[in-house]
Amino acid sequence: MAELHTLSVLTLDEPGILVRIAGMFTRRGFSIQSITSGTTEVDGVNRITLVVETEDLPIEQITKQLNKLVPVLKVVRQPDDQLVSRALLLVKVTADNVNRPQVVDAAKLFRARVVDVSQESVVIEATGERSKLRALLDVLEPFGIRELVQSGTVAVARGPKPMLASRAL
């Protein structure tokens, strides 16, 4: 049975590496649920976080294929129980003078914050696991969602051990 797997990939900061990685998944018919990329504490090294839906055996094959790409320094499959992961959500919700307090209260329940207010809407910012963000959207849906954008997942392993880019140092 297919399930979600989170991979952390350290790469050299080279043009086109994200396209090469995404292409590798596409060629093999794997579905990427989320992909994010950003700088790390090491100059010239980026960290790509991938959330992939697949079975256990293919995820091992994916890891081996990623390790063969030249700019890839390290690939780690992150166990769910040892993972801190977050995504960002910005959602514009219909809110007038009558229902605005209810919309703001709903946001507060999810530790989200209002970042913009206009006559007819509010923009809410929330961070958290995808299930929390989905639950927030479910609560806001009756008010009318005008627009939403959600980032990909970023993740880091729990505990003191860093994910070192040993070949980059």
Side-chain angles (χ1 to χ4, degrees):
M1 183 168 94
E3 53 187 68
L4 294 178
H5 300 276
T6 303
L7 298 173
S8 293
V9 183
L10 291 177
T11 69
L12 295 177
D13 185 11
E14 291 185 6
I17 185 61
L18 203 54
V19 172
R20 289 177 61 197
I21 288 173
M24 188 196 80
F25 280 84
T26 302
R27 285 189 303 277
R28 287 161 180 75
F30 295 119
S31 175
I32 298 174
Q33 300 293 318
S34 169
I35 185 168
T36 59
S37 177
T39 59
T40 65
E41 69 281 4
V42 178
D43 228 14
V45 176
N46 286 351
R47 183 173 179 149
I48 298 170
T49 303
L50 294 146
V51 179
V52 183
E53 185 173 9
T54 187
E55 296 175 12
D56 284 335
L57 186 57
I59 200 70
E60 296 301 327
Q61 294 169 344
I62 289 169
T63 301
K64 289 175 184 175
Q65 291 297 313
L66 284 171
N67 276 315
K68 289 181 183 179
L69 294 176
V70 173
V72 171
L73 305 171
K74 187 172 188 178
V75 179
V76 175
R77 181 176 163 201
Q78 303 285 4
D80 287 340
D81 62 340
Q82 298 174 9
L83 188 67
V84 177
S85 65
R86 299 289 183 267
L88 170 68
L89 170 75
L90 292 174
V91 59
K92 187 182 296 182
V93 181
T94 302
D96 56 21
N97 290 336
V98 175
N99 70 356
R100 187 172 292 114
Q102 295 166 315
V103 172
V104 171
D105 286 346
K108 287 180 183 176
L109 282 174
F110 288 87
R111 294 188 186 136
R113 54 189 210 118
V114 175
V115 293
D116 185 65
V117 178
S118 72
Q119 289 286 88
E120 299 174 356
S121 66
V122 297
V123 176
I124 296 169
E125 171 190 338
T127 58
E129 293 182 359
R130 292 212 174 263
S131 59
K132 172 191 169 184
L133 300 181
R134 180 74 252 158
L136 172 60
L137 289 173
D138 290 344
V139 169
L140 295 174
E141 187 78 37
F143 297 107
I145 294 176
R146 290 185 168 196
E147 188 176 355
L148 74 89
V149 64
Q150 190 168 352
S151 74
T153 300
V154 292
V156 66
R158 296 182 187 277
K161 187 177 176 187
M163 185 177 166
L164 297 175
S166 56
R167 288 187 359 203
L169 300 175

